[in-house]
């Protein structure tokens, strides 16, 4: 299966390129950003050796749909999607924090809770909760934005302001936008028979000081979803929740003795396993959007992307 795991384009007026864990961002004339969603898979802040077919297309298309479905609430960076794997938008200076919001005690929060902690990023978590229980109110638990190869770290609102990472005036806007987006995302998920469990948002500032939503939104890489049907029944019985997110990859890695810790080696992913991961991403796309996934032509992905981006930039 053809996948795209690395790009080295040279577009007209290109100033620089930034390579993140999954996306590669080309700066055009310090004005536009061309963001390529690759098929790289990152878990525990480690990029896996093999790409996942169609993953970049899935992430890009979900993010595009969700940006359009929330632009009445929160302004975003997106201008166009000239290719299934590409988004083009306004150049922004990113804030150095990810705004993580959690409606349920799951994933990292559940692991911390199990370890006996009742505070996460300066926010109190109630006693007597069990994994995947709903919080009385969604909690915001920010993380610092790590460079590639480093781990994102939990940080409190107080520390963000004290260290001057974000000004108080801007942080108030980030919190407001985060809550609004999570509310809308939860409503969209509910309409598809899903629960939006937790997610993260990233924001940036334009040259004229406007705060915009950037990067991705409500994708399986940035969010965790449960199936609503049978959720309460599974909670009552103490069973694992049926979920649509990257967590199934994390669980597979944990079962194969890998959590991104020093000295651990990434387990070999067979072609069969990679196909099942790709299928799960497609299932998630169809569940989240309510639309059938249409596979793009992957005979030569690099060539296709270059052709489409050049046509747009003209």
């Amino acid at each position: 299966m053809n996948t795209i795991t690395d790009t080295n384009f040279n577009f007209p007026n290109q100033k620089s390129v930034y390579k993140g864990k999954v996306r590669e961002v080309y700066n055009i004339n310090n004005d536009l950003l061309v963001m390529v969603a690759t098929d790289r898979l990152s878990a525990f802040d480690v990029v896996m050796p093999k790409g996942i077919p169609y993953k970049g297309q899935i992430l890009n298309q979900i993010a595009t749909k969700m940006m359009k479905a929330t632009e009445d609430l929160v302004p975003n960076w997106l201008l166009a999607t000239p290719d299934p794997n590409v988004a083009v938008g306004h150049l922004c200076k990113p804030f150095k924090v990810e705004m993580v919001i959690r409606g349920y005690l799951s994933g990292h929060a559940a692991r911390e809770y199990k370890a006996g902690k009742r505070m996460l990023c300066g926010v109190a978590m109630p006693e007597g909760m069990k994994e995947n229980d709903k919080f009385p109110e969604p909690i915001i638990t920010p993380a610092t934005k790590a460079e590639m190869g480093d781990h994102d770290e939990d940080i409190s609102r107080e520390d963000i302001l004290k260290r001057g990472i974000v000004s108080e005036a801007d942080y108030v806007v980030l919190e407001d936008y985060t809550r609004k987006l999570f509310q809308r995302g939860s409503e969209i998920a509910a309409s598809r028979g899903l629960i939006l469990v937790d997610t993260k948002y990233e924001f940036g500032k334009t040259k004229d000081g406007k705060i915009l939503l950037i990067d991705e939104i409500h994708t399986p890489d940035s969010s965790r979803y449960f199936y609503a049907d049978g959720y309460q029944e599974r909670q009552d019985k103490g069973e694992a929740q049926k979920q649509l997110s990257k967590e199934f990859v994390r669980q597979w890695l944990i079962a194969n003795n890998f959590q991104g810790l020093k000295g651990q080696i990434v387990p070999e992913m067979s072609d069969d396993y990679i196909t099942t991961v790709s299928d799960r991403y497609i299932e998630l796309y169809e569940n989240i959007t309510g639309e059938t996934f249409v596979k793009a032509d992957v005979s030569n992905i690099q060539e296709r992307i270059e052709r489409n981006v050049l046509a747009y930039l003209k």
Side-chain angles (χ1 to χ4, degrees):
M1 280 288 242
N2 281 348
T3 59
I4 184 162
T5 54
D6 190 35
T7 70
N8 288 293
F9 297 120
N10 198 353
F11 299 120
N13 301 315
Q14 183 174 310
K15 297 288 184 199
S16 62
V17 58
Y18 167 78
K19 301 204 170 192
K21 290 181 193 117
V22 172
R23 287 172 176 73
E24 311 206 330
V25 187
Y26 292 82
N27 172 339
I28 310 297
N29 217 17
N30 292 325
D31 182 40
L32 293 179
L33 292 180
V34 172
M35 188 186 278
V36 181
T38 72
D39 295 324
R40 292 196 296 264
L41 175 65
S42 156
F44 296 115
D45 293 320
V46 175
V47 175
M48 301 294 121
K50 291 180 182 172
I52 305 299
Y54 304 106
K55 178 177 174 283
Q57 179 189 347
I58 288 165
L59 294 191
N60 191 51
Q61 292 185 334
I62 292 175
T64 301
K65 287 176 191 297
M66 291 295 178
M67 292 255 175
K68 292 200 165 93
T70 55
E71 64 189 2
D72 60 318
L73 285 179
V74 173
N76 64 58
W77 76 291
L78 189 67
L79 289 168
T81 47
D83 180 90
N85 284 63
V86 178
V88 178
H90 300 285
L91 175 97
C92 294
K93 186 174 188 224
F95 288 100
K96 286 189 160 48
V97 289
E98 293 182 340
M99 298 299 285
V100 181
I101 182 164
R102 304 173 184 279
Y104 294 73
L105 181 68
S106 297
H108 173 62
R111 290 191 278 273
E112 294 287 281
Y113 198 90
K114 215 173 260 180
K117 295 180 187 166
R118 293 296 177 267
M119 293 288 281
L120 188 60
C121 303
V123 182
M125 298 186 285
E127 286 292 345
M129 291 185 76
K130 59 180 194 288
E131 188 170 355
N132 300 330
D133 275 352
K134 189 176 184 178
F135 284 118
E137 289 290 320
I139 63 171
I140 293 178
T141 60
T144 56
K145 191 88 184 86
E147 294 300 315
M148 193 159 171
D150 291 333
H151 288 274
D152 296 341
E153 284 178 16
D154 292 342
I155 188 168
S156 66
R157 181 189 204 270
E158 290 66 35
D159 277 349
I160 289 168
L161 300 182
K162 196 164 75 188
R163 284 161 56 181
I165 299 171
V166 181
S167 74
E168 184 155 15
D170 285 349
Y171 196 78
V172 167
V173 176
L174 299 191
E175 283 190 321
D176 177 53
Y177 282 176
T178 296
R179 292 195 185 280
K180 283 178 174 158
L181 289 167
F182 189 67
Q183 177 64 32
R184 176 67 57 84
S186 300
E187 289 162 8
I188 293 169
S191 74
R192 309 259 183 255
L194 299 172
I195 293 169
L196 179 58
V197 177
D198 53 41
T199 190
K200 65 174 173 131
Y201 304 113
E202 295 186 41
F203 298 94
K205 233 181 198 182
T206 61
K207 288 177 198 161
D208 53 9
K210 192 175 182 190
I211 294 175
L212 302 182
L213 171 67
I214 61 170
D215 201 42
E216 63 181 340
I217 163 179
H218 301 154
T219 73
D221 272 24
S222 66
S223 316
R224 190 188 319 269
Y225 290 91
F226 291 158
Y227 286 96
D229 188 33
Y231 161 79
Q232 198 52 56
E233 207 176 308
R234 286 188 283 276
Q235 278 306 93
D236 294 343
K237 290 180 179 168
E239 292 173 0
Q241 285 300 331
K242 194 175 171 210
Q243 60 175 298
L244 274 175
S245 72
K246 210 167 57 172
E247 186 66 20
F248 71 93
V249 176
R250 290 191 200 99
Q251 293 301 335
W252 181 86
L253 290 167
I254 290 169
N256 285 275
N257 305 313
F258 183 81
Q259 289 190 63
L261 304 175
K262 222 177 177 166
Q264 293 184 335
I265 295 164
V266 179
E268 174 69 24
M269 289 187 174
S270 69
D271 290 349
D272 283 351
Y273 182 70
I274 283 172
T275 301
T276 65
V277 175
S278 181
D279 290 345
R280 285 289 287 273
Y281 269 93
I282 290 170
E283 179 193 354
L284 201 137
Y285 173 93
E286 294 183 340
N287 275 280
I288 292 174
T289 64
E291 294 168 16
T292 303
F293 180 67
V294 179
K295 294 177 176 179
D297 176 9
V298 292
S299 52
N300 193 326
I301 309 173
Q302 301 261 3
E303 204 176 89
R304 186 199 77 205
I305 289 175
E306 189 165 33
R307 186 176 65 242
N308 287 335
V309 172
L310 288 173
Y312 175 80
L313 293 175
K314 268 186 186 134

